DNA sequence: TCACAACTCTTAGAAATCTAACTGTCAACA
DNA sequence: TGTTGACAGTTAGATTTCTAAGAGTTGTGA
């Protein structure tokens, strides 16, 4: 592997494997990875607006718009225009969405468990520390 | 951040930022990130067949097929059926593809430099070591 | 040898994502 | 108060990626 790009090559490789591992289960839930991540984020920040999602995932507003239309059609979320600002739409999980979210969370938890098993506990703690620093400073 | 999924959340976050950083330059080259990665891989393994790409990137054969049609239309690659196995197609960079590849490589090198600057040298070496181990054992 | 499975790639059609342009709402300030 | 720019979200159309099904080629075992 080329040393000049090894770090990002490794991250991409690991990410691909994680997505592949999750693919089967997510497909049973009728979601792709991005939709699953979005449901998770909504669960943690109910009432957020679409722009918050665009910022969190570094995606275009139009992409969020389309994705949420999909999640709304599947009955996983509800969108409401707040009375104090008619430009925005607040997003909430539906009852059905909350149920699916539990399954989605489990998929990601299992993924992390799998990752954790590849190195020992001390190494894992160090990896987390380093990734935090990288993420924070980028 | 949820501890149960923090490792994968961090990796996804960092990956998103890398892609976002590269987006402008890649767009000038008329390529997206996946297409850039594919050109890199072809450059390193000229004469490989489509299946090799599907395996390397954990993508479906159909996806590779479509993507290569795009790269072929743009004149960046050539595909040839080898005489000893008519099922396959070997892939080569065109002259134009080789030129673009130099620019693409620079984008990824710059990305890694940016990542490297977020932590000190010793930490960076340790990060590489840990990512290698994770990637290998997954 | 020949039937059948495996392999490699393609196509068709659906879904997701992107860019660019647009609508409607709010905020700032002369 | 009225204009102007910023903000939040949508739509249209192109591109990418996916799944499912299919075509042609090769390998294998009876």
């Amino acid at each position: 592997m080329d040393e000049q790009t090894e770090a990002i090559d490794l991250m991409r490789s690991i990410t691909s494997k994680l997505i592949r591992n999750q693919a089967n289960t997510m497909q049973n839930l009728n979601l792709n990875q991005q939709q699953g991540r979005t449901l998770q984020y909504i669960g943690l920040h109910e009432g957020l607006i679409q722009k918050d999602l665009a910022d969190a995932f570094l995606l275009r507003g139009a992409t969020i718009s389309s994705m949420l239309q999909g999640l709304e059609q599947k009955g996983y979320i509800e969108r409401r225009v707040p009375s104090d600002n008619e430009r925005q739409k607040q997003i909430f999980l539906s009852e059905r969405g909350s149920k699916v979210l539990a399954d989605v969370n489990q998929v990601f938890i299992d993924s992390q468990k799998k990752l954790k098993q590849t190195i020992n506990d001390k190494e894992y703690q160090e990896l987390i520390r380093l990734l935090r620093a990288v993420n924070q400073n980028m």
Side-chain angles (χ1 to χ4, degrees), chain A residues 6-46:
Chain A
E6 184 173 6
I8 56 182
D9 290 341
L10 284 168
M11 301 249 284
R12 288 184 312 215
S13 176
I14 295 168
T15 302
S16 297
K17 289 176 184 176
L18 288 170
I19 292 178
R20 220 11 122 205
N21 284 336
Q22 299 169 352
N24 279 341
T25 316
M26 290 300 276
Q27 201 175 339
N28 291 340
L29 301 177
N30 197 24
L31 295 168
N32 66 25
Q33 208 227 17
Q34 180 60 51
Q35 291 164 337
R37 291 171 64 189
T38 303
L39 282 182
Q40 288 188 309
Y41 198 85
I42 295 171
L44 291 172
H45 306 90
E46 279 210 84

Side-chain angles (χ1 to χ4, degrees), chain A residues 11-114:
Chain A
M11 301 249 284
R12 288 184 312 215
S13 176
I14 295 168
T15 302
S16 297
K17 289 176 184 176
L18 288 170
I19 292 178
R20 220 11 122 205
N21 284 336
Q22 299 169 352
N24 279 341
T25 316
M26 290 300 276
Q27 201 175 339
N28 291 340
L29 301 177
N30 197 24
L31 295 168
N32 66 25
Q33 208 227 17
Q34 180 60 51
Q35 291 164 337
R37 291 171 64 189
T38 303
L39 282 182
Q40 288 188 309
Y41 198 85
I42 295 171
L44 291 172
H45 306 90
E46 279 210 84
L48 84 175
I49 63 171
Q50 301 191 185
K51 176 110 183 24
D52 296 330
L53 283 173
D55 293 341
F57 292 114
L58 301 179
L59 294 175
R60 304 292 171 198
T63 305
I64 300 296
S65 203
S66 305
M67 184 168 48
L68 293 184
Q69 281 170 10
L71 289 176
E72 199 170 36
Q73 274 183 336
K74 289 176 186 168
Y76 292 155
I77 62 164
E78 290 165 15
R79 290 189 284 178
R80 300 181 214 139
V81 175
S83 53
D84 64 339
N85 192 335
E86 296 196 0
R87 282 179 301 192
Q88 307 177 337
K89 288 195 178 174
Q90 285 187 296
I91 308 161
F92 301 89
L93 289 179
S94 67
E95 199 181 319
R96 193 170 163 196
S98 298
K99 282 181 193 161
V100 167
L101 177 55
D103 295 332
V104 171
N105 281 333
Q106 196 54 55
V107 173
F108 284 87
I109 289 170
D110 290 346
S111 265
Q112 171 140 331
K113 276 186 190 156
K114 193 157 193 168

Side-chain angles (χ1 to χ4, degrees), chain A residues 125-138:
Chain A
Q125 293 308 324
E126 179 67 2
L127 176 63
I128 293 280
R129 188 183 76 77
L130 294 172
L131 289 178
R132 274 192 200 135
V134 170
N135 186 49
Q136 206 155 29
N137 298 329
M138 280 197 58

